[in-house]
């Protein structure tokens, strides 16, 4: 049977990230035939004191998988080893112990396998020893890796549906030096101290359903984005249509200003680092942006979000509970100066605010009791609303579900949790999967070309170095066998 429908859900897990994919065939009624999981974690606060909506979201995923003829996750991608990207995986897996045994077909992970050990527990080892997944199918990716080159396109996939219509490609992985290659060998060195190297190695991957695309960035940093730009900058104008129907991109590292713009504290981001972010966003051409965020760590940053303004300007959804037409809400940190019109409140730097917006940017941190502003991201001014939020109770968090049909038509809804009904409506007839207009693509090519001309010439190629892994050998993870395993999915 052919694939008829793909659901991509950005799941609210508090401070953390999880993207759950359901793939349905064309039977009547639709039948769930494949599931994919990109990260599944939350920080200690959310894990020890789970919010009810997180528990409901886990139950939703468990319920969907349990009803399959053979409960199965076809692919798990751990972008990197941080707790807020892996910690909920075990609770998800363990729920199946008293039911039909869950099968995990394939696991790919970013960074070094040893970094996945937390409090003497390693989720990769757990998957193997509890026979969820064969040890030969738990695989790392090479350092400074990409599966794409300008002459051949994508040379390897992480997973492909039997009918070939749904494919997951690794765009960038394990950025160490920043010069990407399809031929490097070994595993990235273990890092335990600084957060930037731990996040930089994040696997950035793309899910394609026919030509429709979703990009999932993990905790990609400015250095990750720079490596991506050097690989995917188009060699012709206008740029190729690789990301022309990119429906959604997850904002890197929950919208962290520190790693996204490579700054510390209140320092000003350098022009070069800002240009990296803007070029990354330009290449991806994403119609919408999703943000996995929570109250902690000052995520997401208003300044970083403003660099990712989607090219699709017509609002896709609205929250009918709000006073502004065609608006929804998002929580973020006020860390960029804006011109405030009708200043009923005076925002304070580095505090969280609720923004009523028509921009196609959607966060899992939906609304708070803080003062709120009316603002469309990417503009220079915001309008103060009525101060402290006094409207009827509004869900503080949200999950966002995209549904793509076989013809490319895509819808988006927001739900307080995955067991609840939607709180959004569609205000327009905008076609979400419509290609970027040609004149806009030409402008994008000009921006990317300008970025490329500013980059230093690459250093002369040196000898290939194999990075040795400490501890026990990693079974079936040498480059040659890795290549052989990927052939079956190509």
């Amino acid at each position: 049977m052919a694939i008829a429908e793909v659901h991509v859900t950005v799941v609210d897990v508090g401070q953390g990230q999880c993207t759950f994919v359901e793939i349905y065939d064309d039977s009547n009624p639709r039948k769930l035939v494949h599931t994919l999981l990109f990260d599944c974690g939350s920080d200690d606060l959310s894990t020890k004191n789970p919010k009810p909506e997180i528990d409901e979201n886990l139950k939703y995923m468990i319920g969907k998988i349990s009803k399959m003829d053979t409960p199965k996750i076809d692919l798990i991608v751990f972008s990197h080893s941080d707790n807020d990207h892996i910690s909920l995986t075990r609770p998800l897996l363990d729920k199946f112990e008293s039911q039909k045994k869950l099968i995990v077909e394939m696991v790919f992970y970013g960074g070094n396998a040893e970094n996945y050990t937390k409090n003497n527990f390693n989720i990769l080892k757990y998957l193997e020893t509890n026979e969820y997944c064969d040890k030969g199918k738990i695989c790392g990716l090479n350092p400074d890796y990409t599966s794409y080159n300008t002459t051949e396109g994508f040379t390897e996939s992480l997973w492909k549906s039997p009918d070939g219509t749904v494919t997951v490609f690794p765009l960038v992985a394990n950025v160490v030096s920043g010069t990407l290659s399809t031929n490097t060998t070994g595993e990235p060195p273990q890092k335990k101290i600084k957060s930037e190297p731990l996040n930089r190695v994040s696997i950035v991957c793309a899910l394609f359903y026919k030509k429709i695309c979703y990009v999932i960035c993990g905790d990609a940093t400015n250095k990750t984005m720079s490596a991506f730009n050097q690989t995917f900058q188009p060699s012709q104008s206008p740029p190729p249509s690789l990301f022309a129907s990119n429906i959604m991109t997850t904002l890197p590292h929950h919208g962290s200003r520190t790693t996204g713009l490579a700054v510390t504290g209140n320092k000003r981001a350098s022009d070069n680092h800002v240009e990296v972010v803007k070029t990354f966003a330009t290449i991806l051409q994403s119609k919408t942006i999703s943000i996995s965020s929570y109250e902690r760590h000052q995520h997401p940053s208003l300044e970083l979000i403003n660099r990712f303004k989607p090219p699709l300007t017509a609002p896709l959804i609205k929250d009918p509970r709000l006073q502004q037409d065609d608006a929804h809400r998002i929580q973020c940190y006020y860390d960029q100066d804006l011109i405030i019109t009708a200043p009923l409140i005076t925002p304070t730097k580095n505090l969280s605010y609720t923004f009523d917006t028509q921009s196609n940017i959607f966060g899992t941190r939906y609304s708070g009791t803080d003062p709120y502003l009316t603002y469309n991201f990417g503009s220079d001014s915001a309008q103060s609303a009525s101060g402290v939020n006094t409207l009827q109770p509004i869900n503080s968090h949200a999950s966002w579900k995209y549904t793509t049909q076989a013809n490319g038509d895509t819808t988006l809804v927001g739900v307080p949790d995955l067991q609840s009904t939607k709180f959004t409506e569609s205000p327009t007839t905008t076609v979400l999967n419509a290609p970027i207009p040609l004149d806009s693509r030409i402008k994008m090519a000009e921006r990317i070309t300008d970025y490329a001309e500013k980059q230093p010439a690459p250093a002369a190629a040196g000898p290939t170095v194999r990075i040795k892994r400490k501890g026990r050998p990693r079974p079936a993870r040498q480059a040659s066998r890795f290549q052989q395993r990927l052939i079956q999915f190509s």
Side-chain angles (χ1 to χ4, degrees):
M1 291 187 176
I3 302 302
E5 198 168 274
V6 175
H7 299 179
V8 178
T9 305
V10 181
V11 182
D12 168 34
V13 287
Q15 173 56 45
Q17 196 165 86
C18 177
T19 304
F20 180 57
V21 179
E22 305 160 56
I23 301 173
Y24 292 85
D25 68 9
D26 59 359
S27 60
N28 188 14
R30 297 276 192 260
K31 183 178 180 181
L32 181 62
V33 290
H34 304 290
T35 64
L36 315 175
L37 189 63
F38 299 87
D39 289 331
C40 188
S42 193
D43 69 359
D44 289 341
L45 177 66
S46 298
T47 304
K48 293 176 182 176
N49 303 287
K51 299 189 287 93
E53 53 264 38
I54 294 179
D55 189 48
E56 293 301 308
N57 292 340
L58 286 175
K59 287 180 181 178
Y60 173 88
M61 293 188 285
I62 292 164
K64 288 291 184 179
I65 298 170
S66 297
K67 292 178 182 178
M68 299 175 72
D69 291 343
T70 301
K72 178 178 63 173
I73 301 176
D74 293 80
L75 173 70
I76 296 178
V77 176
F78 294 123
S79 62
H80 65 301
S81 59
D82 279 355
N83 261 326
D84 63 342
H85 290 254
I86 66 174
S87 64
L88 291 178
T89 311
R90 181 175 180 177
L92 181 70
L93 297 172
D94 288 350
K95 292 291 185 181
F96 294 90
E97 289 295 342
S98 60
Q99 304 174 37
K100 293 183 287 187
K101 181 69 175 180
L102 174 68
I103 297 172
V104 178
E105 291 285 359
M106 199 80 192
V107 177
F108 286 93
Y109 63 90
N112 189 289
E114 295 175 12
N115 286 335
Y116 286 78
T117 300
K118 315 288 184 182
N119 299 318
N120 298 316
F121 172 80
N122 187 302
I123 187 62
L124 303 178
K125 185 67 176 177
Y126 188 75
L127 284 159
E128 174 188 329
T129 57
N130 286 271
E131 299 181 342
Y132 290 107
C133 186
D134 293 341
K135 64 181 181 179
K137 294 184 177 180
I138 303 174
C139 307
L141 294 176
N142 298 326
D144 293 314
Y145 179 77
T146 180
S147 68
Y148 180 83
N149 65 66
T150 55
T151 57
E152 299 177 79
F154 289 108
T155 58
E156 296 169 337
S157 63
L158 300 184
W159 182 83
K160 182 178 289 188
S161 62
D163 69 350
T165 60
V166 183
T167 314
V168 178
F169 294 110
L171 306 179
V172 173
N174 295 327
V175 174
V176 180
S177 70
T179 303
L180 301 187
S181 170
T182 58
N183 299 315
T184 51
T185 59
E187 185 180 57
Q190 185 179 16
K191 299 285 185 182
K192 290 186 176 180
I193 301 174
K194 296 182 178 180
S195 63
E196 198 281 334
L198 279 173
N199 293 315
R200 187 199 313 170
V201 300
S202 289
I203 299 174
V204 178
C205 52
L207 182 151
F208 284 88
Y209 177 33
K210 300 182 178 178
K211 291 185 178 181
I212 299 298
C213 174
Y214 295 86
V215 177
I216 303 166
C217 293
D219 279 4
T221 71
N222 197 271
K223 292 184 178 180
T224 316
M225 288 185 265
S226 178
F228 173 94
N229 294 347
Q230 293 173 43
T231 300
F232 287 93
Q233 58 190 11
S235 57
Q236 68 267 26
S237 178
S241 59
L242 181 62
F243 300 111
S245 293
N246 180 9
I247 298 297
M248 183 274 288
T249 295
T250 61
L251 193 67
H253 199 179
H254 321 281
S256 168
R257 180 178 186 270
T258 302
T259 59
L261 292 169
V263 293
T264 56
N266 291 323
K267 292 182 179 179
R268 179 183 177 277
S270 74
D271 292 342
N272 287 341
H273 291 147
V274 169
E275 195 62 31
V276 165
V277 173
K278 291 168 69 174
T279 301
F280 181 77
T282 298
I283 293 173
L284 286 175
Q285 310 176 43
S286 189
K287 308 293 193 307
T288 72
I289 300 295
S290 71
I291 310 173
S292 297
S293 58
Y294 194 46
E295 293 94 338
R296 304 182 70 188
H297 309 308
Q298 296 191 346
H299 296 159
S301 156
L302 173 62
E303 181 177 3
L304 189 68
I305 295 174
N306 277 337
R307 309 300 182 185
F308 277 86
K309 181 182 179 182
L312 183 63
T313 56
L316 291 173
I317 57 96
K318 67 176 180 179
D319 186 337
R321 301 169 297 181
L322 302 183
Q323 294 173 338
Q324 181 188 0
D325 291 340
D326 297 353
H328 61 279
R329 289 195 152 175
I330 185 172
Q331 283 278 114
C332 66
Y333 279 82
Y334 186 86
D335 53 15
Q336 177 174 316
D337 291 324
L338 294 173
I339 300 171
I340 305 298
T341 59
L344 300 178
I345 59 174
T346 303
T348 303
K349 275 291 192 73
N350 297 322
L351 289 183
S352 177
Y353 290 89
T354 297
F355 290 85
D356 287 2
T357 183
Q358 295 175 321
S359 302
N360 291 309
I361 298 176
F362 310 100
T364 56
R365 182 75 171 109
Y366 186 71
S367 178
T369 58
D370 319 295
Y372 65 100
L373 303 172
T374 299
Y375 178 60
N376 289 326
F377 294 95
S379 64
D380 296 325
S381 64
Q383 182 177 8
S384 295
S386 58
V388 177
N389 178 6
T390 57
L391 298 178
Q392 60 182 297
I394 288 182
N395 43 288
S396 59
H397 292 264
S399 294
W400 301 95
K401 177 178 286 189
Y402 296 77
T403 300
T404 298
Q405 307 289 338
N407 63 0
D409 288 349
T410 301
T411 58
L412 170 65
V413 297
V415 292
D417 64 69
L418 294 178
Q419 305 281 19
S420 302
T421 58
K422 66 180 182 179
F423 63 86
T424 60
E425 296 176 358
S426 176
T428 70
T429 56
T430 301
V431 179
L432 184 54
N433 64 327
I436 298 291
L438 181 61
D439 58 343
S440 297
R441 291 174 59 197
I442 292 174
K443 292 177 182 178
M444 291 175 182
E446 291 172 350
R447 170 180 285 282
I448 298 167
T449 301
D450 182 61
Y451 168 85
E453 291 174 349
K454 295 178 181 178
Q455 301 308 301
T464 301
V465 178
R466 183 178 180 83
I467 302 173
K468 296 183 178 180
R469 177 179 183 270
K470 296 180 181 179
R472 66 178 180 82
R474 185 172 58 154
R477 290 170 192 157
Q478 287 77 19
S480 59
R481 297 185 65 181
F482 171 69
Q483 305 288 342
Q484 293 171 8
R485 282 197 305 277
L486 284 176
I487 291 174
Q488 62 182 307
F489 300 106
S490 301

